[in-house]
Amino acid sequence: MGLKFEVIKKDKNSNARVGVIHTAHGDIPTPIFMPVGTLGTVKTMSVEELDQMGAKIILGNTYHLYLKPGMNIMRQAGGLHKFMNWNKPILTDSGGFQVFSLSERRKINENGVEFRSHIDGSKHFFTPEKSIEIQNDIHSDIMMSFDECVEVPADYDYVKQSMERTIRWAKRGLDYHKEHSYKDQSLFGIVQGGMYKDLREKSAIETTAMDFDGFSIGGLSVGETKEEMIDILNFTTPLLPEDKPRYNMGVGTPDYLFESYQAGIDMADCVLPTRIARNGTAITSHGRLVVRNAAYMDDFTPLDSECDCYTCRNYSRAYIRHLVNVNEILGARLLSYHNLYFLLKMCENIRQAIMEDRFLEYKEEFYSKYGY
Ligand SMILES: Cc1ccc(CCc2c3nc[nH]c3cc3c(=O)[nH]c(N)nc23)cc1
Ligand SMILES: [Zn+2]
């Protein structure tokens, strides 16, 4: 309902494409990387810094925000944009994945999922309709359908039952969305089916038959091997309509991003850049740099000599290593800024490469420097 998607240029030698997603809170150039903001913030970053580094859209977390600060506060704030003072697009997950990865004693049935809060053990029940209602209160620009993400490995019969229930849940969520969501909100369907191609095909056919605004590939980056991820990614992506945004959930490292965009994915998210920053690791053009190591105690060069970000223009490896070593919060901040900037800049370079029909060349150049 809310978003409009345009494909601007398709790469001649791969399925990669440049596009733009128009939303009520601004345009999102694709392929894009989306920083994850779980508790109403992209950890350690202010919204001014996110804006300065070139973030175009951030992710909010339905499960976490529902538990704290809760929907009463969210409604009084007028939604997450106002609450956190971020005036660009926000995408929210539906909460199902977080229930399964975080809460205790979940019980799943046809109607939804009963779970206990990982914070205080209180009992809650999420249904497809409840998930959309919470995402309405958050007032996110792009919402996700309520799904079950089955971990890997899982047996065929369970994945089949789960995938078919997720399709029934998607229909319920879409009906509720049409009735209750704000006009500027959009809703994505999520394709499941585990590592089984026949189930992936059935899920893709039935999910794309519903008029969602975009489609996600779910059930990946949950413990499968890189080969399995790429195999399912390359099998499933072409089954999604070309004229709508495609989102590969939970991805990832630079190679997973390149493989996703090469397959025709437009959007990706991952907690990786801020998570590894908090334990003293930087993503650089020449691979990962564990800057907390003593080797960098007297290294006064930037994290990445080819990076023009705020951190690399102003601080040395020695200083950042010192901050991490004495557990100073600024250490995590400077590393988070650089890691997020690096992935956002990589996406900008990928968009440029696609415009010039040299995506594969750029990928090879990046891989050889990175050490893949
Ligand atoms: C704030 C926020 C955090 C995380 C996410 C994506 C979370 C995520 C996955 N992460 C890795 N693999 C994933 C698979 C799924 C999935 O199959 N379904 C859903 N709804 N989310 C997933 C979205 C938003
Ligand atoms: Zn940098």
Side-chain angles (χ1 to χ4, degrees), residues 14-44:
S14 75
N15 291 330
R17 74 260 186 90
V18 164
V20 61
I21 304 173
H22 301 287
T23 77
H25 282 96
D27 292 350
I28 307 159
T30 62
I32 190 71
F33 175 76
M34 306 184 286
V36 171
T38 297
L39 301 170
T41 160
V42 175
K43 290 194 180 337
T44 78

Side-chain angles (χ1 to χ4, degrees), residues 212-223:
F212 288 109
D213 301 292
F215 296 95
S216 302
I217 300 182
L220 292 180
S221 298
V222 284

Side-chain angles (χ1 to χ4, degrees), residues 36-37 59-61 93-94 97-98 147 149 190 192 218-222 247 249-250 269:
V36 171
L59 272 51
N61 208 311
D93 199 1
S94 46
F97 180 82
Q98 290 75 26
D147 63 328
C149 171
I190 303 182
Q192 293 290 349
L220 292 180
S221 298
V222 284
Y247 167 19
M249 305 187 90
D269 79 274

